[in-house]
């Protein structure tokens, strides 16, 4: 392969099942045109199978499509009529059922049509890549590999890359670069062993959990309470995860392990339990059939009873003494107390961790290049906060190893093989993660991270245990914000408040940072060291003043919020918001005022003030009114009446506290502008944001001129929006007080009780924002909503 970048014009996905269709959806999210293939339908439209799969994408939750129209990037095709389209594709991904014979037959059919420089890859979850590669002609084998996405592909960070013995490794480097930057993935290079890394370890963990569930006589609901967030794992825990994956799929993966790992010391556990077989036999396959280990009967969640194989109400809870142990901050103390406890739940937890650690240590040399790859595979593919080796080392490597060895000798473990010698002797005797890198059992050395150029774009990559990235050099710091740099002339400001909320202290710090940046720096990036970007204004900080009736003090804070937003917009240096995660309320207003936003795909942005009985008063209402006017100015005719459709859309979003389902959706909604940048890898956010500052600065940056002649919809617009609200209220969609909030929003967006087409400036809107905001805040119903939300985290409809 040449050293030129891997440029992808189009991708083909073979197989329009659950995984194939969702892989196609995520490619479409990234703006990559896709041809989705499947069998030709026997009746009607020959591409009917694929069209049905595309239609299903539009209805799935969570949505695989980042915006409703992304499906239009996916073309339907079938193997009988459209194989010629493969010649235009630079990447071909096979994602059909896990049948070796079916896959090989398909390869023989499509190989003659694959382009001479295209990469051909299988999304198999565990079949041998070397065996699959043998079905490809010799000229295609150097361009063949495994590319294993995890379900759902949009949201799961992990992709495993697996080389075939003839695969060109330069090609894998190019493909990894594409996956990391274009699709936003975390890539692990896996060895060609059954189920690769994540499923090999993750499915064993589930099988060990199933074995110990029966051994300790625990209910499935109790086990899910124990093995979810309480121990740093996904909310779906163990048995809900099996339901989501599909019990038939789970059984197939287990069968693959049973068939291909006959020499494994844990082989006798590679079989589906009797209860799992019974559920499959009666068609209870999990979420897709609405019944599996769990089912919903009316509003009641029910769980399968292991003793009777009948459903009962799901009521599983963690015993208080065990919950107390799990709440301990010190991992060493936590594990010592779990092991020493006589409580069955505690014994169960020690047993599943112990057997997982034993398994990972024994198989590390065979299945993974190093311990980092195992930990990232489980974190990124199964949603754990820490990988198995990280958990072990954090709890005390040597002590836990001694406990495992004692339990092996006592016959308590699932397998009797001893821990490998490297655990207690040699370079990894104190742990597998060190400053030198992660331990490779196959090579008996510590290995650094990948040196591929694409990773230079990640200033702060996802850290593994023991890794601490340089925090940069502080420029100025308060209790609320830190302004810093990474050795260049671009300043960064990060909030220090809980959930990055915006109180008066943050406003003061941000104003000081803007002033400093104007004096000494090329530009300013707002970037948070952790998600979310911000959940908005710190309402708790102003509630005492509200309750005391100190209205002048409260209004002064609102005015300072507006001033800060305006300073972001009109500062003499470029300002860029680097967004990931939630960006709600006041933080959304900050984003709208920066010269540019760079948002990770999974950014959820919205003006949600109506949910607490308020309206956006940090300049957000003003910005949307001005944008509606700009849309008219860009239109074919200049009639001021044409601005109303835009205002109506913005009004509906503000009145219903709409939050975008992605950064791309935020563009469609209007919270992000066409010039704002959406990226797919959140770890590249700071790199791209700084590049935007540099580009703006190099272009002889000047701030925009303040808008002085903004046409308003005025009284006519208010009346029209009021009729919308009347219909919503009378139809029972909003409460009487929601109606009042909506009417206040309408008055601001339409510029107040003026004649339609009247021209006003930004200050007019800002004054109107403050007036209507303060009017709502003085209302007892709004105060009740604010207090309720702060106490419960949920909105109140009063």
């Amino acid at each position: 392969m040449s050293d030129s970048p891997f440029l992808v014009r189009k991708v083909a996905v073979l197989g329009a099942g659950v995984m194939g269709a969702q892989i196609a959806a995520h490619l479409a999210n990234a703006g990559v045109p896709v041809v989705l293939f499947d069998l030709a339908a026997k009746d009607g439209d020959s591409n009917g199978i694929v069209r049905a799969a595309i239609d299903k994408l539009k209805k799935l939750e969570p949505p695989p499509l980042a915006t409703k129209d992304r499906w239009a990037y996916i073309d339907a095709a079938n193997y009988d009529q459209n194989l010629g389209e493969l010649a235009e594709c630079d990447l071909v991904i096979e994602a059909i059922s896990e049948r070796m014979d079916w896959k090989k037959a398909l390869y023989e059919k499509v190989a003659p049509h694959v382009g001479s420089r295209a990469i051909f890859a299988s999304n198999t979850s565990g079949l041998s890549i070397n065996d699959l590669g043998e079905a490809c002609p010799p000229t295609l084998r150097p361009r063949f590999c495994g590319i294993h996405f995890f379900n759902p592909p949009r949201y799961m960070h992990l992709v495993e890359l697996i080389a075939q013995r003839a695969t060109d490794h330069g090609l894998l480097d190019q493909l990894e670069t594409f996956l990391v930057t274009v699709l936003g993935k975390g890539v692990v290079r896996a060895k060609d062993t059954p189920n690769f890394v994540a499923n090999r370890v993750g499915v064993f963990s589930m099988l060990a959990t199933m074995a110990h569930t029966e051994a300790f006589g625990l209910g499935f609901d109790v086990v899910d309470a124990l093995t979810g967030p309480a121990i740093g794992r996904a909310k779906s825990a163990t048995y809900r995860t099996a339901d989501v994956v599909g019990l038939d799929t789970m059984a197939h993966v287990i069968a693959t392990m049973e068939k291909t790992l006959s020499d494994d010391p844990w082989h006798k556990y590679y079989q589906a339990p009797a209860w799992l077989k019974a559920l499959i036999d009666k068609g209870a396959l999990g979420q897709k059939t609405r019944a599996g280990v769990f089912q919903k009967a009316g509003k009641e969640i029910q769980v399968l009873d292991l003793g009777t194989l009948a459903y009962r109400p799901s009521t599983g809870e963690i015993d208080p003494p065990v919950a107390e142990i799990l709440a301990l901050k010190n991992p060493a103390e936590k594990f010592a107390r779990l092991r020493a406890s006589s409580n069955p739940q505690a014994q169960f937890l020690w047993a599943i961790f112990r057997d997982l650690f034993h398994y990972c240590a024994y198989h590390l040399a065979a299945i993974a290049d190093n311990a980092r790859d195992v930990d990232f595979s489980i974190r990124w593919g199964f949603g754990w906060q820490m990988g198995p080796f990280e958990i072990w080392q954090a709890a005390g490597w040597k002590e836990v190893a001694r406990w495992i060895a004692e339990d092996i000798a006592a016959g308590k473990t699932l397998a009797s093989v001893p821990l490998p010698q490297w655990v207690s002797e040699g370079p990894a005797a104190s742990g597998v993660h060190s400053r030198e890198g992660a331990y490779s059992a196959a090579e008996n050395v510590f290995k650094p991270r990948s040196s591929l150029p694409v990773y230079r774009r990640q200033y702060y990559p996802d850290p593994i245990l023991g890794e601490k990235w340089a925090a940069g050099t502080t420029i100025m710091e308060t209790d609320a914000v830190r302004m810093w740099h990474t050795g260049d002339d671009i300043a960064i400001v990060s909030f220090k408040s809980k959930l990055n909320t915006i109180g008066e202290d943050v406003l003061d710090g941000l104003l000081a940072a803007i002033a400093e940046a104007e004096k000494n720096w090329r530009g300013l990036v707002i970037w948070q060291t952790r998600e979310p970007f911000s959940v908005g204004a710190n309402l708790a900080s102003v509630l005492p003043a509200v309750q005391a009736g100190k209205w002048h003090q409260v209004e002064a804070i609102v005015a300072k919020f507006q001033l800060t937003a305006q300073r972001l917009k009109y500062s003499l240096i470029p300002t860029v918001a680097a967004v990931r995660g939630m960006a709600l309320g006041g933080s959304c207003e900050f984003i709208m005022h920066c010269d540019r936003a760079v948002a990770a795909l999974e950014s959820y942005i919205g003006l949600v003030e109506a949910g607490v009985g308020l309206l956006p008063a940090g300049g957000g209402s003003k910005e949307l009114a001005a944008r509606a006017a700009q849309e008219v100015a860009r239109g074919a005719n200049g009639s001021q009446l044409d601005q109303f459709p835009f205002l109506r859309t913005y009004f509906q979003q503000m009145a219903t506290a709409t939050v975008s389902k992605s950064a791309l959706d935020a563009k469609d909604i209007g919270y992000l502008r066409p010039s704002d940048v959406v990226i797919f890898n959140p770890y590249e956010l700071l790199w791209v944001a700084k590049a935007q500052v540099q580009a703006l600065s190099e272009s002889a940056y000047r701030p925009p001129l303040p808008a002085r002649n903004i046409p308003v919809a005025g009284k006519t617009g208010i009346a029209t929006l009021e009729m919308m609200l009347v219909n919503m209220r009378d139809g029972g969609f909003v409460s009487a007080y929601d109606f009042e909030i909506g009417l206040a929003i309408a008055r601001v967006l339409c510029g107040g009780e003026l004649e339609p087409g009247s021209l006003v400036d930004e200050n007019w809107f800002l004054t109107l924002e403050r007036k209507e905001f303060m009017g709502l805040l003085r209302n007892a119903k709004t105060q009740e909503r604010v207090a309720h939300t702060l106490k419960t985290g949920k909105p109140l409809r009063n």
Side-chain angles (χ1 to χ4, degrees):
M1 300 294 293
S2 90
D3 293 331
S4 60
F6 178 48
L7 302 177
V8 178
R9 297 165 298 171
K10 187 183 289 188
V11 174
V13 177
L14 311 181
V18 173
M19 281 301 293
Q22 292 200 53
I23 291 169
H26 193 57
L27 287 159
N29 289 337
V32 180
V34 189
V35 186
L36 181 59
F37 281 82
D38 212 299
L39 298 171
K42 295 179 180 178
D43 300 308
D45 180 0
S46 58
N47 291 324
I49 293 173
V50 176
R51 295 196 201 285
I54 294 172
D55 286 341
K56 189 174 181 180
L57 288 174
K58 304 173 191 177
K59 304 170 187 175
L60 287 178
E61 289 292 338
L65 296 165
T67 62
K68 293 178 180 179
D69 63 351
R70 286 280 149 166
W71 64 268
Y73 285 91
I74 307 172
D75 291 333
N78 67 78
Y79 304 125
D80 291 348
Q81 299 169 313
N82 307 113
L83 288 180
E85 294 190 33
L86 292 175
E88 301 176 3
C89 299
D90 299 300
L91 173 62
V92 179
I93 300 172
E94 170 270 305
I96 68 170
S97 297
E98 292 288 270
R99 283 275 300 269
M100 181 72 76
D101 54 340
W102 290 0
K103 289 179 185 289
K104 287 187 172 183
L106 180 62
Y107 293 5
E108 291 172 5
K109 186 171 188 175
V110 303
H113 302 274
V114 174
S116 61
R117 295 178 59 81
I119 296 174
F120 186 41
S122 174
N123 183 58
T124 178
S125 59
L127 297 179
S128 169
I129 296 300
N130 279 309
D131 289 351
L132 287 171
E134 293 302 314
C136 298
T139 55
L140 185 54
R141 289 173 196 166
R143 293 178 282 123
F144 179 76
C145 64
I147 181 172
H148 181 211
F149 289 84
F150 279 69
N151 191 21
R154 171 182 164 184
Y155 301 96
M156 299 307 293
H157 192 54
L158 179 64
V159 170
E160 291 175 316
L161 274 186
I162 312 98
Q164 198 250 4
R165 62 176 63 92
T167 303
D168 183 318
H169 287 274
L171 172 147
L172 284 184
D173 291 346
Q174 293 180 333
L175 184 54
E176 181 168 347
T177 298
F178 171 78
L179 291 168
V180 169
T181 288
V182 178
L183 298 188
K185 296 303 174 186
V187 173
V188 166
R189 300 280 185 102
K191 296 185 178 182
D192 188 22
T193 56
N195 289 349
F196 312 131
V197 181
N199 277 344
R200 178 74 177 272
V201 174
V203 173
F204 170 77
S205 178
M206 295 179 74
L207 290 172
T209 300
M210 290 176 183
H212 289 303
T213 298
E214 296 192 44
F216 286 96
L218 301 178
F220 295 139
D221 50 344
V222 172
V223 169
D224 269 14
L226 288 165
T227 59
I231 59 171
R233 299 185 185 179
K235 290 181 180 178
S236 55
T238 300
Y239 294 103
R240 288 184 191 277
T241 294
D243 274 351
V244 171
V245 169
L247 299 185
D248 53 339
T249 302
M250 182 79 183
H252 177 80
V253 173
I254 296 169
T256 299
M257 296 174 77
E258 181 182 19
K259 180 180 178 181
T260 57
L261 297 169
S262 57
D263 296 331
D264 192 299
W266 286 266
H267 181 261
K268 71 177 183 178
Y269 296 99
Y270 298 159
Q271 54 183 303
W275 60 263
L276 179 57
K277 294 178 181 176
L279 286 174
I280 294 171
D281 287 345
K282 70 176 187 179
L285 306 180
Q287 184 172 279
K288 57 190 172 186
T289 60
R290 300 186 178 182
V293 178
F294 293 90
Q295 70 172 13
K296 193 170 184 180
K299 294 185 177 180
E300 183 180 67
I301 302 297
Q302 298 181 336
V303 64
L304 187 74
D305 187 281
L306 193 53
T308 64
L309 295 185
Y311 288 98
R312 60 170 175 78
S314 177
T315 57
E317 294 182 348
I318 302 175
D319 288 344
V322 178
E324 182 182 326
I325 295 173
L326 293 179
L328 294 170
K329 300 295 184 183
N330 186 321
E333 183 183 0
K334 183 184 301 183
F335 273 85
R337 289 186 58 180
L338 285 174
R339 186 171 187 260
S341 174
S342 60
N343 185 292
Q345 291 186 7
Q347 292 178 347
F348 163 82
L349 286 172
W350 163 247
I352 64 170
F353 277 113
R354 174 202 63 208
D355 287 317
L356 175 62
F357 298 159
H358 186 192
Y359 187 88
C360 289
Y362 183 87
H363 286 298
L364 176 58
I367 67 171
D369 182 64
N370 58 71
R372 182 193 309 108
D373 287 349
V374 172
D375 284 338
F376 277 154
S377 292
I378 296 302
R379 280 166 50 175
W380 295 343
F382 281 77
W384 294 15
Q385 291 177 6
M386 297 177 73
F389 285 120
E390 289 181 290
I391 298 169
W392 179 354
Q393 188 165 329
W397 183 266
K398 292 182 178 180
E399 183 75 341
V400 172
R402 182 174 65 80
W403 293 339
I404 296 171
E406 289 176 1
D407 283 8
I408 292 171
K412 296 180 179 180
T413 53
L414 295 182
S416 59
V417 292
L419 286 169
Q421 190 173 358
W422 64 259
V423 170
S424 55
E425 298 179 16
S430 297
V432 292
H433 297 298
S434 73
R435 291 182 179 178
E436 291 74 36
Y439 181 67
S440 169
E443 301 177 40
N444 196 35
V445 295
F446 281 85
K447 289 193 164 185
R449 284 175 173 259
S450 170
S451 60
L452 278 181
V454 67
Y455 293 110
R456 296 174 197 161
R457 296 167 58 88
Q458 299 184 13
Y459 281 105
Y460 297 96
D462 196 358
I464 206 78
L465 181 73
E467 287 181 333
K468 290 186 178 180
W469 311 121
T473 302
T474 299
I475 301 168
M476 56 157 271
E477 187 167 11
T478 71
D479 290 340
V481 304
R482 176 175 178 251
M483 185 181 187
W484 53 287
H485 67 88
T486 60
D488 53 25
D489 55 0
I490 298 172
I492 304 160
V493 65
S494 304
F495 303 168
K496 297 165 61 178
S497 51
K498 184 178 180 181
L499 298 177
N500 299 320
T501 52
I502 305 166
E504 189 172 12
D505 52 354
V506 171
L507 297 175
D508 289 337
L510 194 48
L511 286 169
I514 296 168
E516 165 63 23
E518 285 182 324
K519 292 177 184 177
N520 299 308
W521 302 88
R522 174 180 282 201
L524 181 67
V525 173
I526 304 176
W527 179 83
Q528 314 296 13
T529 59
R530 63 196 181 282
E531 291 188 25
F533 180 74
S534 170
V535 296
N538 184 351
L539 294 174
S541 67
V542 299
L543 191 59
V546 170
Q547 293 170 336
K550 297 180 179 179
W551 301 115
H552 290 295
Q553 180 182 334
V554 175
E555 187 167 0
I557 295 172
V558 177
K560 186 179 289 187
F561 214 119
Q562 293 179 331
L563 171 64
T564 307
Q566 292 292 88
R567 288 285 284 130
L568 286 170
K569 183 173 184 177
Y570 294 114
S571 67
L572 297 175
I573 43 89
T575 58
V576 174
V579 186
R580 56 178 172 169
M582 291 186 294
L584 307 178
S587 68
C588 175
E589 294 177 286
F590 282 175
I591 293 165
M592 294 167 69
H593 283 80
C594 285
D595 293 298
R596 191 69 44 85
V598 178
L601 178 69
E602 302 309 332
S603 296
Y604 310 104
I605 304 171
L607 296 172
V608 297
E609 288 84 351
V612 291
L614 294 167
L615 56 74
S621 303
K622 173 263 298 180
E623 281 297 299
L624 291 181
R627 289 181 187 185
Q630 289 169 0
E631 293 292 342
V632 172
R634 283 195 289 264
N637 66 69
S639 170
Q640 300 302 335
L641 297 177
D642 287 344
Q643 77 185 94
F644 188 75
F646 301 106
L647 283 177
R648 180 176 57 204
T649 299
Y650 293 146
F651 168 76
Q652 289 173 326
Q653 291 160 190
M654 293 167 65
T656 58
T658 298
V659 177
S660 72
K661 294 184 177 180
S662 70
L664 292 172
D665 188 39
K667 275 197 169 189
D668 287 353
I669 287 173
Y671 294 142
L672 295 182
R673 298 152 294 195
S675 60
D676 291 329
V677 178
V678 176
I679 67 168
F680 275 58
N681 196 317
Y683 299 106
E684 295 183 348
L685 192 60
L686 185 55
W687 174 281
V688 178
K690 290 174 69 174
Q692 291 295 312
V693 168
Q694 186 169 357
L696 288 167
S697 177
E698 293 287 351
S699 304
Y701 174 80
R702 289 292 303 169
L705 293 172
R708 295 179 177 176
N709 295 299
I710 306 171
V712 300
K715 293 185 289 187
T716 303
I718 295 170
T720 306
L721 293 178
E722 184 175 6
M723 286 307 301
M724 287 176 55
L725 286 168
V726 167
N727 291 334
M728 294 173 70
R729 182 194 61 195
D730 293 350
F733 297 104
V734 299
S735 69
Y737 192 56
D738 289 327
F739 176 89
E740 295 300 326
I741 298 164
L743 200 54
I745 294 171
R747 287 193 291 268
V748 175
L749 274 180
C750 294
E753 298 285 348
L754 301 177
E755 291 300 320
S758 298
L759 300 179
V760 302
D761 62 11
E762 290 187 346
N763 285 329
W764 174 271
F765 277 105
L766 292 173
T767 301
L768 200 54
E769 278 186 356
R770 287 199 308 277
K771 175 186 173 183
E772 295 290 352
F773 180 93
M774 294 303 299
L776 290 171
L777 192 55
R778 285 186 171 94
N779 193 301
K781 289 185 179 293
T782 286
Q783 294 175 32
E784 290 170 9
R785 289 191 177 195
V786 171
H788 180 84
T789 300
L790 289 173
K791 183 178 180 179
T792 68
K794 298 177 181 178
L796 172 68
R797 288 288 174 264
N798 55 356

